[in-house]
Amino acid sequence: MIKNYFITLIQQYGNSGIIVSLALEFLGLPIPGEPLMAFLGYLTWKNSNESLILSIIYAVIGTFLGSILAYAIGFRYGENFLIKYGRYIFITQDKLEYTERMVNKNKVLLLLFSRYIPGARHIVPYLSGISKIKLSSFLFYNLIGSIIWCISFIGLGFVLGENWNRIETIAKGYFYIIVLLIGFIFIVIKYFGKYKKMIFTVTFTVLLFIKLSEDLIRNELVIFDKSIYDYISTFISKSTTTIMVVITYMGSAPILVLIALLTYVILRRNKNCTLYGKVIAVNLGATWILNEVFKVIFHRQRPDILRLVEVGGFSFPSGHSMVSLSFYGLILYFIYKNTKNSFIKYLLVIFFSLLILFIGISRIYLGVHYASDVLAGFSAGFAWLAIFITLINKYYLQEPKRHNSRRM
């Protein structure tokens, strides 16, 4: 098999093998990148002398170099080649020009995330060159995309450990979701352009939630959950536990209700912001009810492992994760919408994003939730938040329409 050949290559030649294998993949050779990344993660997990950071760096160099070479080929020869031979595969001049416009328009998303779609990651660098994307833009976003992709799969291989080869099964399941999502995107853009952002967000997160729910029913989350917990549990200490208890308390019902009440009282002083306080309270209550409905439906028991705090109730999806994302996310949305200072905006985005993330991590660390519970909570909370924001903007927060009156 091709995969086994390149795994042997990496074992024999080390870092040089990593760079060559991934560079060749991004030039278009049918090399399975995800399993190679996972295997690198496994090697660093197995051998303490191997550096996870160095493995990621060499992988990034390989993908980055391969992409640059593909870009250069596309830039120098691509357009002339397609003009000359494109007619044999039904590529006309008009279609080529349209594709170039679309690639330039969506270059950031393509360069950052196309690597997650087999086939697309091989084509996009060539298309970028053909479309004459500015070299500085290509280098910047391509580098960021390379880093994100390599960290994702090397990190997953490190977390899965001896079960690293399950990455193909995991990737295949999520690949079908991505393919369906791409088809759905084309339909939405064509027929539902006005609400496309909300629909895209909801669809992706709902599909993720459905996939996790399906895996839960089939009992296919055991290895994933165990691997994540085994890694996080290595950080258990008295001081870390104290910090995690404080963080998890920021997602508890008493704190969230208290923040909602304080927010309402503060916003009442400003006539223009009174409605925000009411909306925040309604969102908190609605998200909590929705989470309880999900828990009753799935009826998943909490982890039977070392619990550092005692809680009751069911486990899937995580209430702290789902409600915190929806609650703090809505507050962040209002702040972002009404704050003019860009520095403050981005500072708050970072603060609330880290708070939400660590609330989820704290639930795994404290032994009261599985990692899949937290991931499902985030996906459900994000989907609900997107729907809720769309509804309140449409029905409650619209500015009154101004009617021009004619003088008779």
Side-chain angles (χ1 to χ4, degrees):
M1 290 178 65
I2 295 176
K3 180 182 78 173
N4 294 333
Y5 172 78
F6 281 96
I7 285 175
T8 304
L9 185 69
I10 290 172
Q11 288 175 318
Q12 287 182 350
Y13 297 99
N15 298 326
S16 301
I18 295 170
I19 294 172
V20 171
S21 300
L22 292 172
L24 289 174
E25 188 201 4
F26 276 81
L27 281 170
L29 270 69
I31 298 170
E34 291 90 348
L36 290 183
M37 296 286 99
F39 181 67
L40 287 177
Y42 162 70
L43 288 180
T44 57
W45 172 83
K46 184 180 179 181
N47 187 355
S48 58
N49 294 324
E50 295 285 340
S51 170
L52 184 64
I53 301 298
L54 277 178
S55 295
I56 292 171
I57 290 173
Y58 285 115
V60 169
I61 291 172
T63 60
F64 190 60
L65 287 177
S67 300
I68 292 173
L69 288 172
Y71 171 87
I73 294 169
F75 190 92
R76 179 67 179 85
Y77 304 106
E79 189 172 11
N80 292 333
F81 178 85
L82 290 176
I83 290 172
K84 188 174 182 179
Y85 300 104
R87 63 181 182 273
Y88 297 113
I89 52 175
F90 308 105
I91 297 177
T92 63
Q93 182 71 35
D94 290 340
K95 289 180 179 178
L96 181 59
E97 291 175 356
Y98 174 76
T99 302
E100 289 176 358
R101 288 197 301 272
M102 292 302 294
V103 170
N104 274 282
K105 183 179 179 181
N106 301 288
K107 61 185 177 185
V108 176
L109 287 176
L110 287 172
L111 292 173
L112 288 180
F113 301 113
S114 64
R115 284 169 175 76
Y116 290 93
I117 306 172
R121 64 170 168 265
H122 306 116
I123 296 171
V124 167
Y126 288 104
L127 284 177
S128 301
I130 293 169
S131 304
K132 303 296 187 288
I133 288 177
K134 200 174 178 181
L135 180 60
S136 58
S137 295
F138 176 81
L139 292 176
F140 176 75
Y141 292 115
N142 183 49
L143 177 60
I144 299 301
S146 297
I147 293 170
I148 294 172
W149 187 68
C150 292
I151 289 176
S152 299
F153 286 100
I154 292 177
L156 193 55
F158 183 83
V159 169
L160 290 174
E162 292 180 349
N163 300 296
W164 68 271
N165 51 8
R166 282 182 57 85
I167 192 70
E168 286 185 287
T169 305
I170 295 170
K172 189 180 292 184
Y174 286 97
F175 169 69
Y176 293 130
I177 291 178
I178 292 171
V179 170
L180 289 173
L181 191 59
I182 291 171
F184 186 73
I185 284 171
F186 283 110
I187 296 172
V188 170
I189 289 174
K190 188 170 183 179
Y191 299 105
F192 304 98
K194 186 177 179 182
Y195 301 106
K196 62 183 180 182
K197 288 183 180 179
M198 184 274 289
I199 294 174
F200 291 160
T201 303
V202 171
T203 303
F204 181 77
T205 50
V206 166
L207 284 173
L208 176 59
F209 184 81
I210 291 172
K211 176 61 179 168
L212 288 167
S213 304
E214 179 191 14
D215 290 347
L216 171 63
I217 293 169
R218 293 181 178 181
N219 200 30
E220 294 179 353
L221 294 171
V222 175
I223 294 175
F224 172 75
D225 289 329
K226 183 179 183 303
S227 300
I228 298 292
Y229 178 76
D230 287 346
Y231 177 70
I232 291 179
S233 64
T234 59
F235 297 95
I236 291 178
S237 67
K238 189 174 181 180
S239 57
T240 307
T241 301
T242 302
I243 294 170
M244 287 297 177
V245 168
V246 173
I247 292 174
T248 208
Y249 202 57
M250 292 300 296
S252 64
I255 290 295
L256 296 183
V257 170
L258 178 60
I259 294 174
L261 289 172
L262 289 173
T263 304
Y264 177 73
V265 171
I266 293 170
L267 293 178
R268 279 190 65 186
R269 299 177 181 179
N270 188 330
K271 197 173 182 179
N272 297 325
C273 298
T274 303
L275 188 58
Y276 288 168
K278 295 178 181 178
V279 167
I280 288 170
V282 170
N283 177 53
L284 176 60
T287 311
W288 212 281
I289 291 170
L290 186 61
N291 178 258
E292 289 300 319
V293 170
F294 282 141
K295 286 188 174 183
V296 170
I297 291 172
F298 292 103
H299 217 75
R300 188 187 200 183
Q301 300 299 323
R302 291 188 182 270
D304 185 19
I305 51 180
L306 175 64
R307 289 192 192 175
L308 302 179
V309 294
E310 284 301 322
V311 293
F314 297 116
S315 186
F316 186 94
S318 164
H320 276 63
S321 303
M322 180 175 172
V323 179
S324 294
L325 192 147
S326 177
F327 179 75
Y328 289 120
L330 183 62
I331 292 177
L332 178 59
Y333 170 75
F334 286 145
I335 294 173
Y336 191 88
K337 186 178 179 182
N338 294 281
T339 303
K340 294 181 180 179
N341 189 307
S342 297
F343 176 75
I344 294 176
K345 277 185 180 182
Y346 295 125
L347 194 65
L348 289 172
V349 168
I350 293 171
F351 171 77
F352 279 107
S353 299
L354 289 175
L355 176 61
I356 293 165
L357 174 64
F358 276 96
I359 286 173
I361 292 174
S362 72
R363 304 306 286 171
I364 304 170
Y365 175 94
L366 295 171
V368 295
H369 277 295
Y370 298 104
S372 53
D373 298 337
V374 171
L375 192 56
F378 283 154
S379 61
F382 208 88
W384 166 253
L385 179 61
I387 295 171
F388 190 76
I389 287 175
T390 302
L391 291 175
I392 61 175
N393 279 327
K394 183 175 181 180
Y395 295 108
Y396 296 103
L397 301 180
Q398 281 186 332
E399 293 181 3
K401 296 180 180 180
R402 295 177 181 176
H403 300 280
N404 294 324
S405 58
R406 297 180 179 178
R407 292 183 179 179
M408 301 298 293

